[in-house]
Amino acid sequence: MKILVTGGTGYIGSHTVVELQNQGYEVIIADNLSNSHENVLDHIAEISGKRPEFEKLDFSDPQHTNNFFDKNLDIKGIIHFAAFKAVGESVKNPLMYYHNNLVSLMNILNNMSKHGIENIVFSSSCTVYGQPEKLPVSEDSPIQKAWSPYGNTKQISEDIIYDTLNADQRLKGIALRYFNPIGAHESAKIGELPLGVPNNLVPFITQTAIGIRDQLKVFGDDYNTPDGTAIRDYIHVVDLAKAHVIAVDRMISGKGKKAFEVFNLGTGNGYSVMEVIKSFEKVSGEKLNYKIVDRRPGDVEQVWADTTFANNELGWKAEKGLDEMMASAWKWEKALKEKESGL
């Protein structure tokens, strides 16, 4: 059974492709490689024993998207990762985010209806909750005004999917609202490798520790949290990837309770930026050079998940703790360094 994974050479996408192939799914990846490398396909093959099909494609181009679906008529489901995803960048360049993230989704949904592709898993985000009034956040928590254009594209995307599924009742969808994915595959063959300066905390930590970056910036220490730094729910990327496979299984088997379902994916624990730094220093033995700077526009103060619904309904639970996440991220960073050094 063939599953299309958009953005499948990216960080979360590549780990999900591995888990899909481990469970016997046939995978085709479509990615424009704007923030990833094609050689990820080789690493996926090394881990899973099978190289997925690949096509370089920008889904915000309607003609190229239509052509792709016209020649790939055996797709049974879609996992849609392909999107721009940096909060700070979205604040600086909102139109780029609205165009890329929304137009690409609409082009895909158009082709689902046209070709009778019934199932889509959407890569959503805890940013849809804004700054919650009550923690932890459950799927029933009120959707607050988004704090960034990125978060708003996720809110709007969920609305677009809901309305599309309501209009075409052949279709089914699941939105997975995940919190903060970190870590890397245990093989250290795939992990988070942003092009240019990282926007996310953990790759900036590991790149600082290994000498690529001079200093880690901690954005704000005056939040209303125990140590003043922002709190997030960090989840290991492999735990997250496995949840996507469960979501695909659920839709294809017809076990969903309604046409559009939403699940939080996190650990249910909130960790501050300083706690993440201390965890990294503990597992790596490295002392980080960091500096407290002003808050970053678009960042919420604190958010973590109530994962009860996903745990009970999907039979899924995050298994890896913060130290294990940080250790795998460090192992990945060191493997990159060794590869670059020719060791």
Side-chain angles (χ1 to χ4, degrees), residues 329-342:
W330 184 229
K331 182 180 177 183
W332 160 247
E333 191 68 59
K334 290 190 292 184
L336 290 174
K337 181 75 170 181
E338 290 176 2
K339 186 175 181 181
E340 291 172 2
S341 302

Side-chain angles (χ1 to χ4, degrees), residues 7 10-13 34-36 81-91 96-97 100-101 123-125 127 148-151 153-154 178-181 192-195 197-201 203 296:
Y11 175 43
I12 305 172
S34 65
N35 194 34
S36 59
F81 292 109
F84 294 149
K85 62 181 183 64
V87 168
E89 183 183 56
S90 77
V91 173
M96 180 177 77
Y97 270 68
N100 182 77
N101 292 6
S123 168
S124 193
S125 166
T127 56
S148 69
Y150 165 72
T153 66
K154 293 300 184 183
Y178 26 91
F179 283 65
N180 288 67
E192 190 168 10
L193 184 59
L195 302 185
V197 179
N199 287 292
N200 295 335
L201 174 62
R296 182 171 58 180

Side-chain angles (χ1 to χ4, degrees), residues 130-149:
Q131 178 57 66
E133 295 175 356
K134 181 181 177 182
L135 290 167
V137 288
S138 73
E139 292 82 355
D140 295 325
S141 295
I143 301 298
Q144 308 287 348
K145 178 176 173 56
W147 278 44
S148 69

Side-chain angles (χ1 to χ4, degrees), residues 193-199 203-217 288-289 333:
L193 184 59
L195 302 185
V197 179
N199 287 292
F204 216 116
I205 285 175
T206 58
Q207 289 188 13
T208 301
I210 211 152
I212 297 173
R213 309 292 163 195
D214 293 332
Q215 189 177 64
L216 171 69
K217 294 179 180 178
L288 276 173
N289 178 28
E333 191 68 59

